[in-house]
Each structure stands twice: as structure tokens, then as C-alpha cells.
Amino acid sequence: ALMTDELEPHLEWLVAGKRDLEIQDFYQHELLDGDWQSVATKAKTLLGDYPGRVGIHGPFWGLNLGNPDPKLREVVKHRLGQGLDAAEELGATHMVIHSPIEPWLHRHIANSKKEKDYVMSLVADTLGKLTNKASAIGCVLVMENIMDLDPRLQLDLIKSVNSDFLKMS
């Protein structure tokens, strides 16, 4: 996991090990609203015919995949869509996103099928068209378990979206 400006000194080591690489730059909303294309171009130029898988970390600050407010979910979709645009430009195989199941939410859905189903439906709404876009560009969304207390809930959430382009980290 490196920022584009940190790639060059590590390239020999990365290439020799055919290591998977996660470009970090594209989680930043300031970059996604600016000239992210030049960062993607710089990374592509530095990597050339890189032998390992190259992915990106998508935007995540303040983005709740299960936000109950439909207007805020539209913002989340927009930001993640920008991340997928960058992933496509870079030719990324995957984009890391964050699980919405933080401890407070976990307590509310772990023992309530109704609440769990509701949250699953919100996440499915958020990720539906995004997984279609991910499929079209060949970039898997990889859900990182940042604050999950139980990976089984995250796995249930991923299964509920029903896409080969959403996987668990």
C-alpha cells in the first residue's frame, strides 16, 4: 500500500517479488475532485508492465455504504464511482472499500433480522450500479473489515449484494 509519490524507491523490490500493490492516492476527495488523471498517468508510467496485481484504495472518509438517507447514499455512490473511474484509468484489478458495519451498527443488526435486512437493502442500493460498473471495467470491489466485530455479518452483507465483483478483504 503506497502513494504514487512513494512508488519509485520501492519499484525494484515490488517487481522482483511480483507483489500485489495498492495505490492509496484515490481515497482523497480533494484528488477525486481535481486532477486525479495525472496521478493515475504517473502511476501507470512508473509501473509499466508491472507483474503483480495493482489495485487502489477507494474513497472512504465519511462514506457510509448503508446510510439510510437516500440523498447521502447518492453522494456515496458518486464518490465511489469517481474511485472506479480512477481504477479504470489505472487498469486496477480491485478497489478497496470499507465495510459499514462498525460496532454501533453491529449491535443493532446482529440480533435483529428486520434491522439486518434493512441495512443489507441499503448497502445493496448503494453498491448495485457500482458493482455493474466494476464488472464492466474488470475491477473487483473488495470490502475491508475495518471496524467489524464479526466477519460473518460482513460476509452476509456481501452475499446480499449478489455480485461476483464484490468480495471480502
Side-chain angles (χ1 to χ4, degrees):
L2 294 167
M3 300 294 272
T4 299
D5 286 341
E6 300 167 331
L7 281 175
E8 199 164 4
H10 298 91
L11 272 177
E12 185 177 328
W13 175 78
L14 290 164
V15 170
K18 298 179 184 171
R19 288 170 172 79
D20 288 347
L21 177 62
E22 181 182 303
I23 306 293
Q24 297 283 294
D25 304 77
F26 304 103
Y27 76 85
Q28 303 171 87
H29 63 88
E30 302 91 347
L31 179 62
L32 293 174
D33 286 340
D35 184 19
W36 61 264
Q37 294 90 344
S38 66
V39 175
T41 298
K42 180 179 179 180
K44 281 193 322 190
T45 301
L46 285 168
L47 293 171
D49 293 329
Y50 190 75
R53 293 184 300 181
V54 176
I56 70 166
H57 200 301
F60 65 91
W61 287 117
L63 303 181
N64 179 350
L65 301 178
N67 196 308
D69 184 327
K71 289 184 179 184
L72 294 178
R73 277 197 317 280
E74 289 304 315
V75 171
V76 175
K77 292 175 194 180
H78 174 74
R79 274 291 176 229
L80 293 175
Q82 288 178 300
L84 283 172
D85 291 342
E88 180 179 23
E89 180 68 26
L90 189 60
T93 59
H94 58 284
M95 180 172 92
V96 175
I97 61 175
H98 282 189
S99 169
I101 307 176
E102 40 75 32
W104 185 88
L105 181 60
H106 173 94
R107 288 182 194 90
H108 284 77
I109 68 173
N111 299 308
S112 169
K113 181 174 177 0
K114 180 181 176 185
E115 289 296 318
K116 180 179 173 183
D117 289 348
Y118 176 61
V119 170
M120 303 283 173
S121 73
L122 296 173
V123 173
D125 175 69
T126 301
L127 295 179
K129 288 182 181 173
L130 291 166
T131 55
N132 292 340
K133 180 175 182 168
S135 172
I137 65 172
C139 180
V140 175
L141 298 174
V142 182
M143 190 176 289
E144 190 171 22
N145 57 340
I146 285 299
M147 295 190 288
D148 299 76
L149 298 175
D150 182 345
R152 292 173 295 189
L153 283 175
Q154 184 186 15
L155 186 57
D156 289 347
L157 181 129
I158 289 168
K159 287 178 180 178
S160 77
V161 175
N162 193 27
S163 171
D164 290 338
F165 283 83
L166 177 62
K167 302 286 183 188
M168 190 172 195
S169 172

